[in-house]
Amino acid sequence: MSDIFEKFSLKGRAAIVTGGAGLLGMEFCRTLGQAGASVLVADLNAEAAYRTAESLRAEGLTALHAAVDVTQPESVQAMVEACVDEFGSLDVIVNSAAMDPKFDASQAGKHTNAFEDYPLEMWKQALDVNLTGVFLCCQAAARQMVVQGGRGSIINICSTYGLVPPDQRIYEKPGQPKQFKPAFYTATKAGVLGLTKYIAAYYAGTQIRANCLTPGGVYNNHDETFVRNYSYRTIMGRMAQRDEMNGALLFLASDASSYMTGGNVIVDGGWTVW
């Protein structure tokens, strides 16, 4: 039997992270690279993807960048081909790209749309990115994994709000218009969880595994009121730090989780226990 630490090694493997220039995406890219993987940083923002890949290379990690629009099949396929052309395979994909309305200091007052008035076009756009985009990325990755002999790890980033609805009270601030986490976020993240289970079952009998990672709220310069409101709702009494999803991510990407598929690793400080 192998050493337990060897099971977490990704040496010789290639990974894609969509939304790779995002708050958690950058963490995921670095984690996979530190574990030995060659990483394709994929993001709609090509310049941000380039900067992220450059920073990883400066740390001695193997990284490439690519612009991708996850709503476009041709763009997604080109992303997968770029990974295979450069690194020789695709062994792990982390689908982190998503529309996710933020409530940090830079976004104050921007989410005042009540459910009764939420624009249909914004709903449709979110479905395209958060659900169809994950479908297209899983589909393209799975095609390559089948070609490689039926082996690989698909990791879809879910959310606590895919398991339970938002507590809209945490977004209230004295003297300001009410803000709301929109319905599309819960609907699409619940859909991602269902899609992941479908993919896991579809590839029964192979070594293609599909799992979800469900983060709780991650601190990103939120104001005091929001942090206090959010923290009160968690068992651990605080928001997550941005590096606290990395261990779970590596577990799902590596052979440490070789007997796990169709699962959901929840790292939320106890938010969904209440």
Side-chain angles (χ1 to χ4, degrees):
M1 296 182 68
S2 62
D3 182 281
I4 184 61
F5 293 106
E6 290 179 14
K7 288 185 175 289
F8 286 91
S9 173
L10 297 177
K11 187 176 180 180
R13 301 186 192 180
I16 292 174
V17 180
T18 70
L23 181 72
L24 289 182
M26 287 190 287
E27 291 289 329
F28 296 157
C29 290
R30 181 171 288 104
T31 295
L32 297 172
Q34 289 175 346
S38 300
V39 181
L40 177 66
V41 182
D43 202 281
L44 184 62
N45 186 331
E47 184 179 345
Y50 171 78
R51 289 196 304 268
T52 301
E54 277 282 277
S55 70
L56 296 177
R57 288 192 289 269
E59 296 173 26
L61 307 178
T62 303
L64 178 72
H65 81 283
V68 64
D69 181 345
V70 297
T71 70
Q72 300 300 316
E74 299 82 3
S75 181
V76 171
Q77 185 59 33
M79 172 188 71
V80 170
E81 290 174 4
C83 180
V84 175
D85 289 346
E86 182 70 19
F87 302 137
S89 66
L90 171 57
D91 305 290
V92 178
I93 187 166
V94 181
N95 291 309
S96 185
M99 290 177 61
D100 179 10
K102 303 296 185 184
F103 291 82
D104 54 37
S106 68
Q107 301 295 311
K110 292 188 177 181
H111 309 297
T112 56
N113 286 306
F115 176 74
E116 300 92 324
D117 307 313
Y118 199 79
L120 178 59
E121 285 310 307
M122 291 178 68
W123 168 266
K124 289 180 176 179
Q125 182 186 14
L127 288 177
D128 281 347
V129 175
N130 290 15
L131 193 51
T132 303
V134 173
F135 163 76
L136 290 173
C137 291
C138 289
Q139 188 180 54
R143 278 197 296 264
Q144 178 61 31
M145 291 172 179
V146 168
V147 168
Q148 292 171 186
R151 180 182 177 85
S153 177
I154 296 170
I155 304 167
N156 294 327
I157 305 304
C158 191
S159 168
T160 52
Y161 288 164
L163 309 179
V164 298
D167 183 345
Q168 302 289 4
R169 295 171 298 181
I170 72 172
Y171 304 107
E172 295 179 3
K173 295 178 183 175
Q176 294 187 20
K178 280 194 173 183
Q179 296 192 97
F180 304 94
K181 194 81 170 184
F184 79 71
Y185 197 67
T186 292
T188 56
K189 288 302 185 178
V192 166
L193 182 57
L195 175 64
T196 304
K197 291 178 180 292
Y198 175 89
I199 293 167
Y202 183 85
Y203 288 105
T206 75
Q207 293 301 306
I208 296 174
R209 303 184 295 113
N211 292 288
C212 276
L213 169 59
T214 293
V218 178
Y219 178 71
N220 187 31
N221 299 317
H222 294 86
D223 64 71
E224 237 178 84
T225 300
F226 181 86
V227 172
R228 183 172 60 251
N229 289 345
Y230 188 95
S231 299
Y232 179 76
R233 284 281 282 105
T234 68
I235 287 176
M236 295 191 73
R238 64 178 178 87
M239 299 185 75
Q241 297 301 311
R242 65 181 64 188
D243 65 349
E244 290 189 295
M245 309 299 146
N246 296 345
L249 186 281
L250 180 57
F251 169 70
L252 292 175
S254 70
D255 289 344
S257 61
S258 58
Y259 195 55
M260 182 175 181
T261 193
N264 182 23
V265 177
I266 303 170
V267 188
D268 69 350
W271 177 278
T272 53
V273 173
W274 294 119

